[in-house]
Structures are given as structure tokens and as C-alpha cells.
Short mmCIF file of all heavy atoms in Angstrom, two decimals:
data_model
loop_
_atom_site.label_atom_id
_atom_site.label_comp_id
_atom_site.label_asym_id
_atom_site.label_seq_id
_atom_site.Cartn_x
_atom_site.Cartn_y
_atom_site.Cartn_z
N HIS A 206 -140.43 -27.83 140.05
CA HIS A 206 -139.56 -28.15 141.23
C HIS A 206 -138.83 -29.44 140.92
O HIS A 206 -139.31 -30.36 140.15
CB HIS A 206 -140.26 -28.21 142.49
CG HIS A 206 -140.73 -26.93 142.98
ND1 HIS A 206 -141.94 -26.33 142.66
CD2 HIS A 206 -140.05 -25.95 143.71
CE1 HIS A 206 -142.02 -25.14 143.27
NE2 HIS A 206 -140.90 -24.92 143.91
N LEU A 207 -137.76 -29.57 141.50
CA LEU A 207 -136.85 -30.81 141.46
C LEU A 207 -136.66 -31.32 142.77
O LEU A 207 -136.19 -30.54 143.69
CB LEU A 207 -135.57 -30.51 140.72
CG LEU A 207 -134.50 -31.63 140.65
CD1 LEU A 207 -134.96 -32.58 139.52
CD2 LEU A 207 -133.14 -31.10 140.46
N LEU A 208 -136.85 -32.61 143.05
CA LEU A 208 -136.57 -33.32 144.29
C LEU A 208 -135.21 -34.05 144.04
O LEU A 208 -135.06 -34.71 143.10
CB LEU A 208 -137.66 -34.27 144.61
CG LEU A 208 -138.85 -33.68 145.30
CD1 LEU A 208 -139.60 -32.80 144.38
CD2 LEU A 208 -139.75 -34.69 145.92
N ALA A 209 -134.33 -33.97 145.09
CA ALA A 209 -133.03 -34.51 144.90
C ALA A 209 -132.63 -35.20 146.26
O ALA A 209 -132.81 -34.72 147.29
CB ALA A 209 -131.96 -33.50 144.55
N ALA A 210 -132.13 -36.48 146.08
CA ALA A 210 -131.52 -37.17 147.21
C ALA A 210 -130.22 -36.54 147.40
O ALA A 210 -129.31 -36.66 146.51
CB ALA A 210 -131.42 -38.67 146.94
N ASN A 211 -129.95 -35.79 148.43
CA ASN A 211 -128.77 -34.97 148.69
C ASN A 211 -127.76 -35.58 149.57
O ASN A 211 -127.37 -34.97 150.58
CB ASN A 211 -129.29 -33.63 149.16
CG ASN A 211 -128.21 -32.49 148.97
OD1 ASN A 211 -127.16 -32.70 148.42
ND2 ASN A 211 -128.45 -31.33 149.49
N TRP A 212 -127.40 -36.84 149.39
CA TRP A 212 -126.36 -37.57 150.09
C TRP A 212 -126.53 -37.42 151.57
O TRP A 212 -127.54 -37.94 152.15
CB TRP A 212 -124.98 -37.12 149.64
CG TRP A 212 -123.88 -38.01 150.04
CD1 TRP A 212 -122.85 -37.71 150.86
CD2 TRP A 212 -123.65 -39.34 149.71
NE1 TRP A 212 -122.01 -38.78 151.01
CE2 TRP A 212 -122.48 -39.78 150.33
CE3 TRP A 212 -124.38 -40.23 148.94
CZ2 TRP A 212 -121.90 -41.10 150.23
CZ3 TRP A 212 -123.70 -41.52 148.80
CH2 TRP A 212 -122.57 -42.00 149.37
N ARG A 213 -125.65 -36.80 152.31
CA ARG A 213 -125.76 -36.72 153.77
C ARG A 213 -126.68 -35.70 154.28
O ARG A 213 -126.92 -35.53 155.43
CB ARG A 213 -124.39 -36.63 154.44
CG ARG A 213 -123.50 -37.87 154.25
CD ARG A 213 -123.16 -38.42 155.46
NE ARG A 213 -122.27 -39.63 155.24
CZ ARG A 213 -122.60 -40.82 155.58
NH1 ARG A 213 -123.70 -41.01 156.25
NH2 ARG A 213 -121.81 -41.74 155.33
N SER A 214 -127.26 -34.80 153.35
CA SER A 214 -128.05 -33.78 153.76
C SER A 214 -129.61 -34.01 153.63
O SER A 214 -130.43 -33.21 153.96
CB SER A 214 -127.79 -32.53 152.86
OG SER A 214 -126.51 -32.11 153.07
N GLY A 215 -129.95 -35.23 153.20
CA GLY A 215 -131.37 -35.67 153.10
C GLY A 215 -131.97 -35.34 151.88
O GLY A 215 -131.43 -35.37 150.74
N LEU A 216 -133.30 -34.89 151.92
CA LEU A 216 -134.07 -34.59 150.66
C LEU A 216 -133.97 -33.04 150.47
O LEU A 216 -134.22 -32.31 151.32
CB LEU A 216 -135.51 -35.01 150.90
CG LEU A 216 -136.49 -34.60 149.82
CD1 LEU A 216 -136.25 -35.46 148.48
CD2 LEU A 216 -137.90 -34.91 150.38
N ALA A 217 -133.55 -32.70 149.21
CA ALA A 217 -133.60 -31.29 148.91
C ALA A 217 -134.73 -31.06 147.84
O ALA A 217 -134.94 -31.90 146.94
CB ALA A 217 -132.20 -30.96 148.28
N ILE A 218 -135.33 -29.89 147.88
CA ILE A 218 -136.35 -29.42 146.87
C ILE A 218 -135.86 -28.20 146.29
O ILE A 218 -135.55 -27.23 147.04
CB ILE A 218 -137.68 -29.29 147.57
CG1 ILE A 218 -138.19 -30.61 148.20
CG2 ILE A 218 -138.70 -28.82 146.43
CD1 ILE A 218 -139.54 -30.49 148.85
N LEU A 219 -135.65 -28.19 145.01
CA LEU A 219 -135.06 -27.05 144.31
C LEU A 219 -136.04 -26.38 143.32
O LEU A 219 -136.83 -27.16 142.66
CB LEU A 219 -133.85 -27.50 143.55
CG LEU A 219 -132.70 -28.13 144.28
CD1 LEU A 219 -131.84 -28.99 143.45
CD2 LEU A 219 -131.94 -27.08 145.06
N ASP A 220 -135.99 -25.04 143.20
CA ASP A 220 -136.85 -24.33 142.29
C ASP A 220 -135.87 -24.25 141.07
O ASP A 220 -134.75 -23.66 141.20
CB ASP A 220 -137.15 -23.00 142.83
CG ASP A 220 -137.81 -22.02 141.80
OD1 ASP A 220 -137.85 -22.48 140.51
OD2 ASP A 220 -138.38 -21.07 142.19
N VAL A 221 -136.25 -24.86 139.89
CA VAL A 221 -135.46 -24.92 138.78
C VAL A 221 -136.03 -24.07 137.51
O VAL A 221 -135.78 -24.41 136.39
CB VAL A 221 -135.11 -26.33 138.33
CG1 VAL A 221 -134.21 -26.97 139.26
CG2 VAL A 221 -136.39 -27.12 138.08
N GLN A 222 -136.97 -23.15 137.86
CA GLN A 222 -137.52 -22.32 136.89
C GLN A 222 -136.45 -21.63 136.08
O GLN A 222 -136.59 -21.53 134.79
CB GLN A 222 -138.47 -21.31 137.40
CG GLN A 222 -139.76 -21.88 137.85
CD GLN A 222 -140.74 -20.86 138.34
OE1 GLN A 222 -140.33 -19.74 138.78
NE2 GLN A 222 -142.03 -21.15 138.25
N ASP A 223 -135.38 -21.12 136.70
CA ASP A 223 -134.20 -20.55 136.02
C ASP A 223 -133.04 -21.65 136.06
O ASP A 223 -132.42 -21.72 137.12
CB ASP A 223 -133.77 -19.28 136.66
CG ASP A 223 -132.54 -18.71 136.08
OD1 ASP A 223 -131.93 -19.24 135.15
OD2 ASP A 223 -132.14 -17.48 136.58
N LEU A 224 -132.84 -22.40 135.04
CA LEU A 224 -132.03 -23.51 135.03
C LEU A 224 -130.50 -23.10 135.33
O LEU A 224 -129.71 -23.83 135.78
CB LEU A 224 -132.10 -24.36 133.75
CG LEU A 224 -133.35 -25.15 133.59
CD1 LEU A 224 -133.27 -25.73 132.18
CD2 LEU A 224 -133.59 -26.10 134.73
N GLY A 225 -130.21 -21.90 134.95
CA GLY A 225 -128.82 -21.40 135.24
C GLY A 225 -128.62 -20.83 136.72
O GLY A 225 -127.52 -20.67 137.05
N ASN A 226 -129.74 -20.86 137.41
CA ASN A 226 -129.61 -20.42 138.81
C ASN A 226 -130.68 -21.16 139.71
O ASN A 226 -131.60 -20.57 140.23
CB ASN A 226 -129.89 -18.92 138.91
CG ASN A 226 -129.70 -18.39 140.21
OD1 ASN A 226 -128.87 -18.95 141.05
ND2 ASN A 226 -130.33 -17.35 140.58
N PRO A 227 -130.44 -22.49 139.81
CA PRO A 227 -131.45 -23.28 140.69
C PRO A 227 -131.34 -22.74 142.18
O PRO A 227 -130.25 -22.34 142.60
CB PRO A 227 -130.90 -24.63 140.57
CG PRO A 227 -129.47 -24.60 140.18
CD PRO A 227 -129.37 -23.25 139.43
N ARG A 228 -132.47 -22.73 142.78
CA ARG A 228 -132.55 -22.26 144.19
C ARG A 228 -133.15 -23.24 145.12
O ARG A 228 -134.21 -23.88 144.82
CB ARG A 228 -133.47 -20.99 144.30
CG ARG A 228 -133.41 -20.12 145.45
CD ARG A 228 -134.17 -18.84 145.29
NE ARG A 228 -135.58 -19.08 145.18
CZ ARG A 228 -136.44 -19.39 146.19
NH1 ARG A 228 -135.96 -19.37 147.40
NH2 ARG A 228 -137.72 -19.51 145.97
N LEU A 229 -132.45 -23.50 146.33
CA LEU A 229 -132.97 -24.32 147.27
C LEU A 229 -134.18 -23.89 147.93
O LEU A 229 -134.25 -22.75 148.46
CB LEU A 229 -131.89 -24.61 148.29
CG LEU A 229 -132.25 -25.61 149.42
CD1 LEU A 229 -132.42 -27.02 148.93
CD2 LEU A 229 -131.16 -25.56 150.51
N VAL A 230 -135.33 -24.56 147.89
CA VAL A 230 -136.51 -24.16 148.47
C VAL A 230 -136.78 -24.68 149.80
O VAL A 230 -137.12 -24.11 150.87
CB VAL A 230 -137.81 -24.64 147.57
CG1 VAL A 230 -139.12 -24.28 148.18
CG2 VAL A 230 -137.71 -23.89 146.22
N MET A 231 -136.32 -26.00 149.96
CA MET A 231 -136.53 -26.68 151.20
C MET A 231 -135.48 -27.80 151.35
O MET A 231 -135.17 -28.42 150.36
CB MET A 231 -137.89 -27.32 151.35
CG MET A 231 -138.25 -27.94 152.70
SD MET A 231 -139.82 -28.75 152.68
CE MET A 231 -139.32 -30.40 152.96
N GLN A 232 -134.93 -28.08 152.58
CA GLN A 232 -134.10 -29.20 152.83
C GLN A 232 -134.71 -29.92 153.95
O GLN A 232 -135.12 -29.38 155.08
CB GLN A 232 -132.74 -28.67 153.28
CG GLN A 232 -131.73 -29.69 153.58
CD GLN A 232 -131.04 -30.18 152.24
OE1 GLN A 232 -131.01 -29.53 151.33
NE2 GLN A 232 -130.60 -31.40 152.24
N TYR A 233 -134.85 -31.31 153.83
CA TYR A 233 -135.37 -32.19 154.92
C TYR A 233 -134.30 -33.12 155.28
O TYR A 233 -134.03 -34.04 154.56
CB TYR A 233 -136.58 -32.95 154.45
CG TYR A 233 -137.22 -33.83 155.53
CD1 TYR A 233 -138.27 -33.24 156.39
CD2 TYR A 233 -136.89 -35.11 155.71
CE1 TYR A 233 -138.71 -33.90 157.33
CE2 TYR A 233 -137.48 -35.79 156.78
CZ TYR A 233 -138.40 -35.18 157.51
OH TYR A 233 -138.97 -36.00 158.59
N PRO A 234 -133.54 -32.79 156.45
CA PRO A 234 -132.43 -33.62 156.81
C PRO A 234 -132.97 -35.13 157.28
O PRO A 234 -134.05 -35.15 157.80
CB PRO A 234 -131.89 -32.93 158.04
CG PRO A 234 -132.77 -31.86 158.36
CD PRO A 234 -133.76 -31.72 157.28
N THR A 235 -132.20 -36.11 156.94
CA THR A 235 -132.52 -37.43 157.39
C THR A 235 -131.22 -38.06 158.11
O THR A 235 -130.11 -37.51 158.00
CB THR A 235 -132.78 -38.35 156.19
OG1 THR A 235 -131.62 -38.38 155.41
CG2 THR A 235 -133.97 -37.76 155.48
N SER A 236 -131.47 -39.13 158.82
CA SER A 236 -130.29 -39.68 159.53
C SER A 236 -129.48 -40.58 158.70
O SER A 236 -128.31 -41.04 159.05
CB SER A 236 -130.81 -40.45 160.77
OG SER A 236 -131.73 -41.47 160.29
N GLY A 237 -129.91 -40.98 157.49
CA GLY A 237 -129.21 -41.91 156.62
C GLY A 237 -128.40 -41.20 155.53
O GLY A 237 -128.28 -39.90 155.54
N THR A 238 -128.08 -41.91 154.58
CA THR A 238 -127.30 -41.34 153.41
C THR A 238 -128.30 -41.45 152.19
O THR A 238 -128.62 -42.56 151.65
CB THR A 238 -126.07 -42.16 153.01
OG1 THR A 238 -125.21 -42.20 154.10
CG2 THR A 238 -125.35 -41.56 151.76
N SER A 239 -128.85 -40.30 151.76
CA SER A 239 -129.95 -40.21 150.72
C SER A 239 -129.34 -40.66 149.37
O SER A 239 -128.47 -39.87 149.01
CB SER A 239 -130.61 -38.95 150.71
OG SER A 239 -131.24 -38.76 151.97
N LEU A 240 -129.82 -41.66 148.83
CA LEU A 240 -129.23 -42.19 147.57
C LEU A 240 -130.09 -42.09 146.31
O LEU A 240 -129.67 -42.03 145.22
CB LEU A 240 -128.87 -43.69 147.72
CG LEU A 240 -127.99 -43.95 148.91
CD1 LEU A 240 -127.82 -45.45 149.21
CD2 LEU A 240 -126.60 -43.40 148.70
N GLY A 241 -131.42 -42.03 146.59
CA GLY A 241 -132.39 -41.92 145.33
C GLY A 241 -133.66 -41.43 145.84
O GLY A 241 -134.07 -41.59 146.98
N VAL A 242 -134.47 -40.85 144.83
CA VAL A 242 -135.69 -40.33 145.20
C VAL A 242 -136.73 -40.56 143.93
O VAL A 242 -136.28 -40.37 142.84
CB VAL A 242 -135.63 -38.93 145.66
CG1 VAL A 242 -135.26 -37.93 144.52
CG2 VAL A 242 -137.09 -38.44 146.17
N LYS A 243 -137.99 -40.81 144.28
CA LYS A 243 -138.99 -40.92 143.32
C LYS A 243 -140.24 -40.31 143.86
O LYS A 243 -140.59 -40.47 144.97
CB LYS A 243 -139.32 -42.35 142.89
CG LYS A 243 -140.42 -42.47 141.89
CD LYS A 243 -140.49 -43.79 141.24
CE LYS A 243 -141.66 -43.97 140.26
NZ LYS A 243 -141.21 -43.56 138.91
N ALA A 244 -140.99 -39.43 143.04
CA ALA A 244 -142.19 -38.84 143.45
C ALA A 244 -143.39 -39.23 142.51
O ALA A 244 -143.14 -39.27 141.31
CB ALA A 244 -142.08 -37.38 143.37
N LEU A 245 -144.52 -39.59 143.13
CA LEU A 245 -145.62 -39.92 142.37
C LEU A 245 -146.80 -38.96 142.70
O LEU A 245 -147.16 -38.73 143.78
CB LEU A 245 -146.15 -41.39 142.71
CG LEU A 245 -145.17 -42.52 142.45
CD1 LEU A 245 -145.67 -43.78 142.94
CD2 LEU A 245 -144.85 -42.59 140.87
N ARG A 246 -147.37 -38.33 141.64
CA ARG A 246 -148.47 -37.35 141.90
C ARG A 246 -149.75 -38.17 142.23
O ARG A 246 -150.06 -39.18 141.53
CB ARG A 246 -148.67 -36.54 140.60
CG ARG A 246 -149.71 -35.49 140.92
CD ARG A 246 -149.86 -34.57 139.71
NE ARG A 246 -150.80 -33.47 140.02
CZ ARG A 246 -150.63 -32.23 140.10
NH1 ARG A 246 -149.42 -31.78 139.82
NH2 ARG A 246 -151.53 -31.43 140.43
N GLN A 247 -150.44 -37.77 143.24
CA GLN A 247 -151.70 -38.33 143.69
C GLN A 247 -152.88 -37.66 143.09
O GLN A 247 -152.85 -36.54 142.71
CB GLN A 247 -151.73 -38.38 145.22
CG GLN A 247 -150.54 -39.00 145.92
CD GLN A 247 -150.43 -40.48 145.46
OE1 GLN A 247 -151.27 -41.23 145.89
NE2 GLN A 247 -149.39 -40.87 144.76
N PRO A 248 -154.01 -38.30 143.19
CA PRO A 248 -155.22 -37.72 142.52
C PRO A 248 -155.59 -36.37 143.24
O PRO A 248 -156.22 -35.47 142.61
CB PRO A 248 -156.36 -38.82 142.81
CG PRO A 248 -155.61 -39.96 142.90
CD PRO A 248 -154.28 -39.73 143.58
N ASP A 249 -155.24 -36.13 144.56
CA ASP A 249 -155.62 -34.93 145.21
C ASP A 249 -154.56 -33.83 144.94
O ASP A 249 -154.73 -32.66 145.49
CB ASP A 249 -155.69 -35.18 146.75
CG ASP A 249 -154.46 -35.56 147.35
OD1 ASP A 249 -153.40 -35.66 146.73
OD2 ASP A 249 -154.42 -35.70 148.59
N GLY A 250 -153.59 -34.08 144.08
CA GLY A 250 -152.56 -33.05 143.77
C GLY A 250 -151.25 -33.06 144.56
O GLY A 250 -150.33 -32.40 144.34
N SER A 251 -151.31 -33.88 145.64
CA SER A 251 -150.16 -34.02 146.43
C SER A 251 -149.15 -34.98 145.81
O SER A 251 -149.51 -35.48 144.75
CB SER A 251 -150.42 -34.61 147.84
OG SER A 251 -150.98 -35.89 147.70
N TYR A 252 -147.95 -35.19 146.37
CA TYR A 252 -147.03 -36.06 145.84
C TYR A 252 -146.60 -37.07 146.95
O TYR A 252 -146.37 -36.66 148.07
CB TYR A 252 -145.75 -35.31 145.37
CG TYR A 252 -145.92 -34.49 144.15
CD1 TYR A 252 -146.47 -33.19 144.21
CD2 TYR A 252 -145.74 -35.07 142.90
CE1 TYR A 252 -146.67 -32.45 143.09
CE2 TYR A 252 -145.93 -34.30 141.73
CZ TYR A 252 -146.47 -33.02 141.82
OH TYR A 252 -146.67 -32.38 140.73
N LEU A 253 -146.48 -38.29 146.61
CA LEU A 253 -145.95 -39.35 147.45
C LEU A 253 -144.54 -39.51 147.10
O LEU A 253 -144.14 -39.73 145.91
CB LEU A 253 -146.78 -40.66 147.23
CG LEU A 253 -146.70 -41.64 148.40
CD1 LEU A 253 -147.13 -41.09 149.70
CD2 LEU A 253 -147.49 -42.88 147.99
N VAL A 254 -143.64 -39.25 148.00
CA VAL A 254 -142.15 -39.31 147.74
C VAL A 254 -141.52 -40.44 148.49
O VAL A 254 -141.71 -40.52 149.71
CB VAL A 254 -141.57 -37.88 148.36
CG1 VAL A 254 -140.04 -37.90 148.01
CG2 VAL A 254 -142.25 -36.68 147.66
N PHE A 255 -140.85 -41.17 147.72
CA PHE A 255 -140.13 -42.35 148.30
C PHE A 255 -138.59 -41.93 148.22
O PHE A 255 -138.06 -41.64 147.14
CB PHE A 255 -140.26 -43.51 147.45
CG PHE A 255 -141.73 -43.96 147.33
CD1 PHE A 255 -142.54 -43.42 146.34
CD2 PHE A 255 -142.23 -44.88 148.25
CE1 PHE A 255 -143.91 -43.77 146.27
CE2 PHE A 255 -143.58 -45.23 148.16
CZ PHE A 255 -144.41 -44.66 147.20
N LEU A 256 -137.93 -42.05 149.42
CA LEU A 256 -136.52 -41.63 149.53
C LEU A 256 -135.75 -42.80 149.98
O LEU A 256 -135.99 -43.32 151.03
CB LEU A 256 -136.35 -40.44 150.46
CG LEU A 256 -134.91 -39.98 150.77
CD1 LEU A 256 -134.40 -39.30 149.45
CD2 LEU A 256 -134.88 -39.08 151.94
N ALA A 257 -134.71 -43.35 149.22
CA ALA A 257 -133.87 -44.37 149.64
C ALA A 257 -132.76 -43.75 150.55
O ALA A 257 -131.98 -42.86 150.07
CB ALA A 257 -133.24 -45.02 148.44
N ASP A 258 -132.86 -44.03 151.82
CA ASP A 258 -132.10 -43.36 152.81
C ASP A 258 -130.98 -44.26 153.45
O ASP A 258 -130.78 -44.33 154.58
CB ASP A 258 -132.94 -42.77 153.92
CG ASP A 258 -132.24 -41.61 154.67
OD1 ASP A 258 -131.41 -40.90 154.01
OD2 ASP A 258 -132.57 -41.46 155.80
N GLY A 259 -130.36 -45.01 152.56
CA GLY A 259 -129.20 -45.91 152.87
C GLY A 259 -129.46 -46.73 154.14
O GLY A 259 -130.50 -47.37 154.20
N GLU A 260 -128.67 -46.55 155.15
CA GLU A 260 -128.67 -47.49 156.36
C GLU A 260 -130.05 -47.18 157.13
O GLU A 260 -130.34 -47.97 157.98
CB GLU A 260 -127.47 -47.23 157.21
CG GLU A 260 -127.18 -45.80 157.60
CD GLU A 260 -126.55 -44.95 156.57
OE1 GLU A 260 -126.22 -45.34 155.54
OE2 GLU A 260 -126.30 -43.71 156.89
N SER A 261 -130.61 -46.09 156.89
CA SER A 261 -131.91 -45.77 157.55
C SER A 261 -133.16 -46.38 156.85
O SER A 261 -134.30 -46.24 157.33
CB SER A 261 -132.04 -44.36 157.68
OG SER A 261 -131.10 -43.79 158.68
N GLY A 262 -132.89 -46.92 155.55
CA GLY A 262 -134.00 -47.63 154.93
C GLY A 262 -134.81 -46.62 154.03
O GLY A 262 -134.33 -45.55 153.78
N LEU A 263 -136.03 -47.04 153.68
CA LEU A 263 -136.89 -46.35 152.84
C LEU A 263 -137.79 -45.37 153.57
O LEU A 263 -138.36 -45.75 154.70
CB LEU A 263 -137.86 -47.34 152.02
CG LEU A 263 -138.85 -46.66 151.16
CD1 LEU A 263 -138.15 -45.91 149.96
CD2 LEU A 263 -139.86 -47.80 150.64
N ARG A 264 -137.74 -44.14 153.25
CA ARG A 264 -138.55 -43.15 153.92
C ARG A 264 -139.64 -42.75 152.94
O ARG A 264 -139.40 -42.59 151.72
CB ARG A 264 -137.78 -41.94 154.37
CG ARG A 264 -136.80 -42.29 155.35
CD ARG A 264 -136.09 -41.01 155.76
NE ARG A 264 -135.08 -41.38 156.86
CZ ARG A 264 -135.24 -41.25 158.07
NH1 ARG A 264 -136.48 -40.78 158.54
NH2 ARG A 264 -134.38 -41.51 158.99
N VAL A 265 -140.82 -42.57 153.44
CA VAL A 265 -142.04 -42.16 152.52
C VAL A 265 -142.59 -40.83 153.03
O VAL A 265 -142.87 -40.81 154.33
CB VAL A 265 -143.07 -43.21 152.51
CG1 VAL A 265 -144.21 -42.86 151.56
CG2 VAL A 265 -142.46 -44.56 152.02
N PHE A 266 -142.75 -39.89 152.23
CA PHE A 266 -143.35 -38.60 152.60
C PHE A 266 -144.52 -38.31 151.68
O PHE A 266 -144.62 -38.79 150.53
CB PHE A 266 -142.30 -37.41 152.37
CG PHE A 266 -140.97 -37.57 153.00
CD1 PHE A 266 -139.95 -38.24 152.31
CD2 PHE A 266 -140.70 -37.05 154.28
CE1 PHE A 266 -138.67 -38.33 152.90
CE2 PHE A 266 -139.47 -37.17 154.84
CZ PHE A 266 -138.46 -37.83 154.08
N GLN A 267 -145.38 -37.42 152.21
CA GLN A 267 -146.45 -36.91 151.40
C GLN A 267 -146.30 -35.32 151.43
O GLN A 267 -146.35 -34.70 152.38
CB GLN A 267 -147.86 -37.29 151.83
CG GLN A 267 -148.92 -36.71 150.93
CD GLN A 267 -150.27 -37.18 151.37
OE1 GLN A 267 -150.57 -37.55 152.50
NE2 GLN A 267 -151.33 -37.09 150.46
N LEU A 268 -146.01 -34.83 150.18
CA LEU A 268 -145.89 -33.44 150.06
C LEU A 268 -147.20 -32.86 149.54
O LEU A 268 -147.65 -33.25 148.46
CB LEU A 268 -144.78 -33.02 149.12
CG LEU A 268 -143.34 -33.39 149.57
CD1 LEU A 268 -142.30 -33.06 148.49
CD2 LEU A 268 -142.97 -32.60 150.80
N ARG A 269 -147.77 -32.05 150.31
CA ARG A 269 -149.12 -31.45 149.86
C ARG A 269 -148.96 -30.21 148.95
O ARG A 269 -149.53 -30.15 147.98
CB ARG A 269 -149.99 -31.04 151.07
CG ARG A 269 -150.26 -32.33 151.96
CD ARG A 269 -151.26 -31.95 153.00
NE ARG A 269 -151.40 -33.07 153.97
CZ ARG A 269 -152.09 -34.08 153.75
NH1 ARG A 269 -152.79 -34.23 152.65
NH2 ARG A 269 -152.20 -35.09 154.56
N THR A 270 -148.06 -29.40 149.28
CA THR A 270 -147.77 -28.24 148.39
C THR A 270 -146.24 -27.96 148.57
O THR A 270 -145.62 -28.24 149.47
CB THR A 270 -148.58 -26.93 148.72
OG1 THR A 270 -148.12 -26.62 150.16
CG2 THR A 270 -150.03 -27.17 148.69
N ILE A 271 -145.79 -27.31 147.47
CA ILE A 271 -144.40 -26.84 147.39
C ILE A 271 -144.45 -25.35 146.98
O ILE A 271 -145.03 -25.12 145.90
CB ILE A 271 -143.44 -27.59 146.52
CG1 ILE A 271 -143.48 -29.07 146.80
CG2 ILE A 271 -142.13 -27.09 146.46
CD1 ILE A 271 -142.75 -29.94 145.83
N THR A 272 -143.99 -24.48 147.81
CA THR A 272 -144.09 -23.12 147.39
C THR A 272 -142.57 -22.53 147.49
O THR A 272 -141.71 -23.16 148.11
CB THR A 272 -144.90 -22.23 148.33
OG1 THR A 272 -144.38 -22.33 149.65
CG2 THR A 272 -146.39 -22.77 148.31
N ASN A 273 -142.40 -21.37 146.87
CA ASN A 273 -141.01 -20.86 146.89
C ASN A 273 -140.58 -20.23 148.15
O ASN A 273 -139.52 -19.79 148.18
CB ASN A 273 -140.91 -19.85 145.68
CG ASN A 273 -140.85 -20.61 144.36
OD1 ASN A 273 -140.60 -21.80 144.23
ND2 ASN A 273 -141.28 -19.89 143.31
N ASP A 274 -141.45 -20.11 149.12
CA ASP A 274 -141.11 -19.46 150.40
C ASP A 274 -140.86 -20.51 151.48
O ASP A 274 -140.61 -20.20 152.58
CB ASP A 274 -142.13 -18.54 150.89
CG ASP A 274 -143.48 -19.23 151.11
OD1 ASP A 274 -143.62 -20.38 151.03
OD2 ASP A 274 -144.49 -18.45 151.38
N GLY A 275 -140.77 -21.82 151.00
CA GLY A 275 -140.37 -22.94 151.98
C GLY A 275 -141.51 -23.55 152.76
O GLY A 275 -141.34 -24.48 153.45
N ASP A 276 -142.86 -23.06 152.51
CA ASP A 276 -143.92 -23.69 153.15
C ASP A 276 -144.19 -24.99 152.53
O ASP A 276 -143.89 -25.24 151.44
CB ASP A 276 -145.13 -22.76 152.91
CG ASP A 276 -145.11 -21.50 153.70
OD1 ASP A 276 -144.36 -21.42 154.73
OD2 ASP A 276 -145.81 -20.49 153.41
N ARG A 277 -144.74 -25.94 153.38
CA ARG A 277 -145.02 -27.28 152.97
C ARG A 277 -146.51 -27.50 153.07
O ARG A 277 -147.25 -26.99 153.81
CB ARG A 277 -144.31 -28.36 153.77
CG ARG A 277 -142.84 -28.32 153.51
CD ARG A 277 -142.20 -29.45 154.35
NE ARG A 277 -141.75 -28.70 155.54
CZ ARG A 277 -141.36 -29.33 156.65
NH1 ARG A 277 -141.35 -30.48 156.75
NH2 ARG A 277 -140.98 -28.53 157.64
#
């Protein structure tokens, strides 16, 4: 999966198993302008996600699972 700061649409999670046909798995809208993202894998298998959200500041998420059906 690929996490993307999606400008005015917030955080996007894409399935990139088929690089020629990436698929949006989940979109998390934010109130700011998403400019950058970094994810760190945690010992429990979850991911700590840092999203630079412009005028709304830094947002921090914990993603426990990412599945292709949109469940979190």
C-alpha cells in the first residue's frame, strides 16, 4: 500500500500491487492542505502516520490494518 498526502482531499491510501492500475482503498478527508506524509511501523504491526496538513498543522494517526475493502 501507498500512503499519499492528497492536497485538499486529505490522506489517501492506495493499493499499488498493480502499478499500472493503482486503486484507492481509503480516503481520510482533513480540513487543511495535506502536503506530506510519513509512516513508521510499530512493534505491534500497526503504523504511526504523520500528516503535514498545512494550516491545520500536524496530524497523527495510528493505522491498525489496511485491507482492500476499505476497513481500518
Side-chain angles (χ1 to χ4, degrees):
H206 287 92
L207 173 79
L208 278 67
N211 197 9
W212 194 242
R213 295 242 180 239
S214 297
L216 177 67
I218 301 175
L219 302 160
D220 178 345
V221 292
Q222 285 182 335
D223 179 358
L224 293 176
N226 188 27
R228 193 174 66 82
L229 182 65
V230 174
M231 187 184 115
Q232 183 82 26
Y233 184 85
T235 63
S236 57
T238 303
S239 299
L240 303 170
V242 64
K243 178 165 178 93
L245 299 173
R246 188 174 181 120
Q247 301 300 295
D249 66 359
S251 68
Y252 289 87
L253 200 54
V254 178
F255 300 89
L256 180 68
D258 202 31
E260 58 278 0
S261 294
L263 178 66
R264 296 185 180 262
V265 181
F266 306 91
Q267 183 177 17
L268 294 177
R269 296 188 189 280
T270 60
I271 301 171
T272 62
N273 289 337
D274 62 6
D276 292 339
R277 288 179 267 166

